[in-house]
Amino acid sequence: RLKVMYAGTMGPVQGLKTVLEAASLLKDLPDVQFVLIGDGLEYENLINIKKEHDIRNVLFLGRRLPQEMPHYYALGDVLLVHLKPDPLSNVSIPSKTFAYMASGRPVLMAVQGEAADFVNHNDFGIAVEPSNPKKMADAVRRLYGLPVEKRELMGRAAHHAYLKNYSSEVQITKFEGLLINVFKSGA
């Protein structure tokens, strides 16, 4: 099976109806399952859409404790980030990206701008146009068709980039150096 996992807020900004529409386009692949963890303003609406359209390859797990999330990330084969197109999302990288990277799993990034460039530059997943169910479904088909070893390579690239550049230890050291330099310069 290929488990595509989304974990986080389920609100208007996340636009997760796109995920349900993409899942609907993948009904011919019974080994592909979307797992959505979290809750929010759109949670009940998304469950209703799933029921109304008889989308069987989507599983909602509800809210989970933060300390449980590494366990769930480890169960996913691909971790999904999706935000509706917006000028602010174009210039930021969603924070969940770094938790996903730390888990050593490939990322399906459905966010424009910096986030898509970030995934492509670090080669740890696939970036697709957000709010486009067809493009998302095509990317999942592509990931499903990849040898497991190739997906594992993407996951290792994510983990390596996280440890080298984005872990708390690295970021604290950088911030500390910046503060020391500011202090020394008398600014």
Side-chain angles (χ1 to χ4, degrees), residues 34-100:
F34 289 81
V35 179
L36 283 72
I37 300 173
D39 66 8
L41 293 174
E42 291 293 315
Y43 183 76
E44 292 298 325
N45 185 41
L46 293 168
I47 289 176
N48 289 334
I49 291 169
K50 173 188 166 14
K51 288 177 185 173
E52 286 171 21
H53 297 280
D54 194 29
I55 305 170
R56 297 179 185 193
N57 56 350
V58 175
L59 176 64
F60 287 91
L61 297 183
R63 178 184 281 273
R64 295 291 184 258
L65 295 172
Q67 59 268 29
E68 294 176 311
M69 292 317 299
H71 167 74
Y72 286 102
Y73 296 153
L75 296 174
D77 298 300
V78 175
L79 304 178
L80 172 66
V81 183
H82 186 272
L83 292 176
K84 289 167 93 173
D86 178 86
L88 288 178
S89 66
N90 286 348
V91 295
S92 65
I93 298 169
S95 59
K96 76 169 75 261
T97 306
F98 300 100
Y100 285 1

Side-chain angles (χ1 to χ4, degrees), residues 139-175:
V140 171
R141 280 185 197 282
R142 184 171 154 213
L143 287 160
Y144 177 73
L146 288 176
V148 171
E149 298 79 23
K150 176 65 175 158
R151 289 196 310 264
E152 287 174 354
L153 202 63
M154 288 177 173
R156 284 195 299 275
H159 192 246
H160 175 74
Y162 174 78
L163 291 177
K164 183 177 177 195
N165 300 306
Y166 307 106
S167 68
S168 298
E169 295 80 16
V170 170
Q171 292 300 311
I172 289 169
T173 301
K174 285 180 183 179
F175 190 67

